[in-house]
Amino acid sequence: MTIDTMRLREDFPILKREVHGKPLVYLDNAATTQKPQAVIDALVEYYSSYNANIHRGIHALAEEATGKYEATRQKVADFIGAPDASNIVFTRNTTESINLVAQAWGRKSLSAGGEIVLSTMEHHSNLVPWQILAKEKGLTLRFIDIDDDGQLIAADIERCIGEKTKLVAITHMSNVLGTINPVREIADRAHQHGALILLDGAQSVPHLPVDVQELDCDFLAFSAHKMLGPTGVGVLYARNELLEEMNPFMSGGEMIRRVQLEESTWNDVPWKFEAGTPNIGDVCAFSASLDYLTDLGMENVRAHEIELVQEAVRRLANVPGITIYGPESAAGKGGVVAFNLEDVHPHDLGTVLDHHGVAIRAGHHCAQPLMKRLDVVATGRASFYVYNEPTEFDALIEGIEAAARLFRAPVHTGA
Amino acid sequence: MPQSIPEPEFDELYRELILDHYRSPRHNEPLVDADVVAEGYNPLCGDEIELRIDFKNGSVSDLSFGGRGCSISRASGSIMTDLVIGKPVADVRKLSELFNKMMTDPEAEVPEELGDLEALQGVAKFPVRVKCATLAWHTLEDGLKQREEGGHAVRHEE
Ligand SMILES: Cc1ncc(COP(=O)(O)O)c(C=O)c1O
């Protein structure tokens, strides 16, 4: 393995804890990831040595905090191959980044009759803001459907993206199926028709090498907490011309240049979109997560997860009564496996696994239309990250087998 | 019996009676031409249930419970059908109230009227699962209300 998990696990204090008397097996990484000591230390360091408000103070602490905050912006830009730090807006999370685009760009630039193209595998975060905008502006939403392998249907991509399309907003990687979508081809098609493309990178940026210029995307949204970073920090990448022409999102302090009683002018991008005191401490700590992932190398992260997902699928497929959703081939699938066990509701499965120390997600994963598409009310989901190792699947499989024994009608052996 | 699950709380959640109702739910066959159809939905887990209720002389004369849900929601609904059928509406309301009370206090003594519902007491110790247990009852309450107001189909959301 390219990543030495045994060594690396030492960096994550939480992995030493037990749950219900069993070693923690954390397989809920698509929801949020655990944090290495370096990130925890960075947060403590901010509050214990240079806590100050940024951009306005003239004292040493304010300068240090501003320097670190802005250096993190540059680091984010480098991490995703953005041309400049000014392409990076800090938000609270992916959800806020997408809402920012819907409000600041969509409300200004879209008008009745226009179409927004989404897919049936979207997270509610990349669906509901567009529903609201569509109602308000008289836009039409169109949906690229998936096939039985959990892949976007190519003919649907062609059918949906056309002359009326103004925006394609699509997930780079599904948080349920793990499908990695052909977003470069979709971007090309969108651009041919004069439309923009927004990528929901909540799952891709933490797990795959992502380069916004190679992907040729106009907007990219993701969350720090899903990539070893603290909660409360999200990122919106956008092309410079777009940020310039967009309306402000929130307004108040920090985002202004000159304020008069009746009107004001806006600060330069990206600060135009960062109203009020931002989440300075968590942004500074996010810097440490980016360093951590950069040291590991995103190619290695991806290679590690391919191994994990292959092994997980192989082991799960051997359990009688298991259905696995999503692409069969690990090459087109991120480190996520959604599954159901016959006769056992995912919530019950989740509870039994919890008592084996195994944390998975059970539910609709904020993708109710996808659940409907798969004709299930919910699924179990195991999702992996850099610190997971194949030996952890022993506990996963044991827990699943225990659940099967518990909930299936007992077979009388006559004993 | 399940092996290797030492935690007492865990056994309290999945009591044998619950598992039995889960594996073979009672009154599972949907009533035809029921007086009231009430749907229950728990957006948290996507579970959907359907109650079909017949009334006669101020009592619940028949009741079917169906849909998709976890062991707790299915067992709760199944036990409910056994308990409620043939009871006057006022008594059913009282049972519902007692049951809701039980779900908010895991330590309280369980009143005798609740019968087999006592098996669900352990659920109160698992806050994330309480709504699974109460879904059927809240949906039933909506069904009763609907009957009073003379309507037909209702949908309850947790
Ligand atoms: C694909 C996808 N999009 C959006 C989100 C929303 O992220 P957040 O809750 O950090 O805003 C998530 C995670 O929950 C996700 O997996």
Side-chain angles (χ1 to χ4, degrees):
Chain A
M1 269 200 201
T2 39
I3 287 181
D4 180 358
T5 27
M6 287 320 264
R7 224 217 78 256
L8 181 149
R9 288 176 71 85
E10 294 295 314
D11 297 338
F12 293 79
I14 208 169
L15 298 179
K16 295 190 182 73
R17 76 161 278 184
E18 295 195 337
V19 170
H20 302 299
K22 306 276 171 59
L24 168 67
V25 173
Y26 186 77
L27 303 179
D28 194 16
N29 292 287
T32 197
T33 64
Q34 301 304 342
K35 322 302 173 198
Q37 191 62 49
V39 170
I40 301 166
D41 287 347
L43 196 57
V44 172
E45 196 202 342
Y46 168 75
Y47 286 113
S48 45
S49 60
Y50 61 98
N51 170 53
N53 212 327
I54 53 171
H55 297 140
R56 8 191 142 150
I58 43 161
H59 50 79
L61 296 188
E63 249 170 54
E64 279 177 39
T66 306
K68 184 78 185 205
Y69 182 87
E70 291 303 327
T72 306
R73 195 191 302 279
Q74 181 63 54
K75 219 174 257 183
V76 173
D78 295 341
F79 192 79
I80 57 168
D84 195 78
S86 64
N87 297 117
I88 305 301
V89 178
F90 285 120
T91 61
R92 282 190 307 135
N93 47 38
T94 304
T95 305
E96 186 172 292
S97 297
I98 296 172
N99 274 273
L100 193 162
V101 177
Q103 298 293 319
W105 175 77
R107 284 178 101 176
K108 180 172 182 188
S109 306
L110 300 180
S111 51
E115 295 185 354
I116 298 179
V117 176
L118 310 166
S119 83
T120 50
M121 64 165 84
E122 297 310 315
H123 188 281
H124 297 164
S125 291
N126 192 34
L127 171 60
V128 182
W130 306 118
Q131 292 174 342
I132 292 175
L133 187 70
K135 270 232 171 78
E136 182 184 320
K137 299 293 244 177
L139 310 167
T140 303
L141 302 182
R142 306 194 66 174
F143 295 92
I144 302 170
D145 202 1
I146 55 170
D147 62 20
D148 291 339
D149 194 42
Q151 315 271 1
L152 297 177
I153 298 170
D156 248 25
I157 297 176
E158 300 224 340
R159 189 177 55 80
C160 289
I161 304 175
E163 294 315 312
K164 288 188 188 157
T165 309
K166 300 298 171 214
L167 176 74
V168 180
I170 200 150
T171 190
H172 190 179
M173 174 181 144
S174 162
N175 64 314
V176 180
L177 306 169
T179 317
I180 299 168
N181 288 322
V183 290
R184 175 61 206 243
E185 281 106 89
I186 297 173
D188 288 347
R189 182 158 177 98
H191 291 147
Q192 276 160 21
H193 290 89
L196 299 183
I197 180 162
L198 173 145
L199 294 185
D200 175 350
Q203 296 300 334
S204 63
V205 175
H207 300 277
L208 320 170
V210 169
D211 183 304
V212 289
Q213 297 190 70
E214 264 175 39
L215 295 176
D216 202 17
C217 61
D218 301 293
F219 300 103
L220 172 72
F222 57 100
S223 299
H225 71 92
K226 292 184 196 283
M227 50 193 297
L228 309 179
T231 52
V233 177
V235 173
L236 173 68
Y237 156 84
R239 279 198 296 111
N240 213 270
E241 315 85 88
L242 294 168
L243 289 175
E244 292 290 351
E245 77 177 41
M246 279 156 67
N247 280 335
F249 176 44
M250 308 264 209
S251 53
E254 195 77 22
M255 52 76 69
I256 39 72
R257 178 180 311 282
R258 186 188 164 94
V259 176
Q260 292 165 296
L261 279 179
E262 304 295 339
E263 60 177 18
S264 304
T265 54
W266 315 136
N267 201 339
D268 292 333
V269 300
W271 303 282
K272 175 170 118 182
F273 301 102
E274 293 178 9
T277 301
N279 188 349
I280 307 164
D282 288 314
V283 166
C284 293
F286 182 34
S287 176
S289 3
L290 294 166
D291 289 342
Y292 197 97
L293 288 171
T294 305
D295 285 350
L296 284 177
M298 289 308 291
E299 298 285 353
N300 294 330
V301 171
R302 174 67 185 135
H304 177 67
E305 289 186 22
I306 287 181
E307 284 182 43
L308 286 172
V309 81
Q310 262 169 346
E311 180 63 7
V313 167
R314 191 186 69 78
R315 301 268 317 254
L316 283 168
N318 282 333
V319 178
I322 282 267
T323 305
I324 297 174
Y325 307 97
E328 218 156 274
S329 145
K333 186 178 172 84
V336 180
V337 186
F339 59 95
N340 265 324
L341 178 64
E342 198 179 5
D343 297 329
V344 181
H345 189 281
H347 276 189
D348 291 318
L349 183 61
T351 300
V352 175
L353 281 169
D354 182 48
H355 281 258
H356 281 74
V358 182
I360 64 155
R361 179 80 180 263
H364 53 59
H365 319 293
C366 297
Q368 286 178 11
L370 176 60
M371 295 295 110
K372 190 154 190 216
R373 176 66 186 75
L374 299 173
D375 194 24
V376 295
V377 290
T379 76
R381 178 186 73 184
S383 54
F384 318 122
Y385 212 18
V386 291
Y387 35 71
N388 289 121
E389 47 188 359
T391 51
E392 290 181 294
F393 299 149
D394 294 347
L396 173 69
I397 300 295
E398 258 172 46
I400 292 174
E401 287 172 349
R405 284 196 298 273
L406 190 60
F407 292 104
R408 289 196 184 139
V411 182
H412 291 285
T413 51
Chain B
M1 280 301 281
Q3 307 142 15
S4 75
I5 303 165
E7 301 244 336
E9 271 186 43
F10 189 77
D11 290 341
E12 276 177 60
L13 180 66
Y14 293 128
R15 299 260 298 270
E16 195 48 47
L17 188 80
I18 294 182
L19 295 173
D20 180 54
H21 276 269
Y22 172 67
R23 293 177 195 132
S24 26
R26 324 292 196 261
H27 307 102
N28 195 223
E29 206 44 53
L31 292 180
V32 186
D33 293 331
D35 293 333
V36 166
V37 179
E39 284 174 21
Y41 179 61
N42 183 349
L44 206 70
C45 49
D47 286 356
E48 298 165 329
I49 63 163
E50 186 192 73
L51 298 180
R52 292 172 165 260
I53 318 166
D54 276 336
F55 296 89
K56 203 175 202 172
N57 304 329
S59 288
V60 171
S61 57
D62 209 352
L63 172 64
S64 68
F65 168 84
R68 308 201 265 192
C70 66
S71 61
I72 305 300
S73 103
R74 234 154 91 179
S76 173
S78 173
I79 298 171
M80 180 179 86
T81 59
D82 270 349
L83 205 62
V84 157
I85 293 173
K87 288 225 165 65
V89 169
D91 292 6
V92 173
R93 286 221 163 89
K94 179 79 190 150
L95 280 173
S96 181
E97 199 180 299
L98 290 173
F99 180 70
N100 280 316
K101 214 173 259 165
M102 179 174 96
M103 281 296 108
T104 52
D105 184 359
E107 304 305 332
E109 201 162 312
V110 180
E112 208 159 308
E113 299 98 295
L114 286 181
D116 280 353
L117 284 173
E118 187 260 344
L120 286 158
Q121 194 188 20
V123 177
K125 290 186 184 161
F126 291 74
V128 292
R129 305 302 294 274
V130 167
K131 283 195 169 179
C132 310
T134 54
L135 180 62
W137 285 92
H138 289 161
T139 307
L140 179 64
E141 280 174 35
D142 276 13
L144 298 182
K145 198 162 143 224
Q146 195 61 24
R147 168 70 173 183
E148 264 175 16
E149 291 165 6
H152 186 76
V154 281
R155 184 171 164 92
H156 169 81
E157 291 204 5
E158 276 297 311

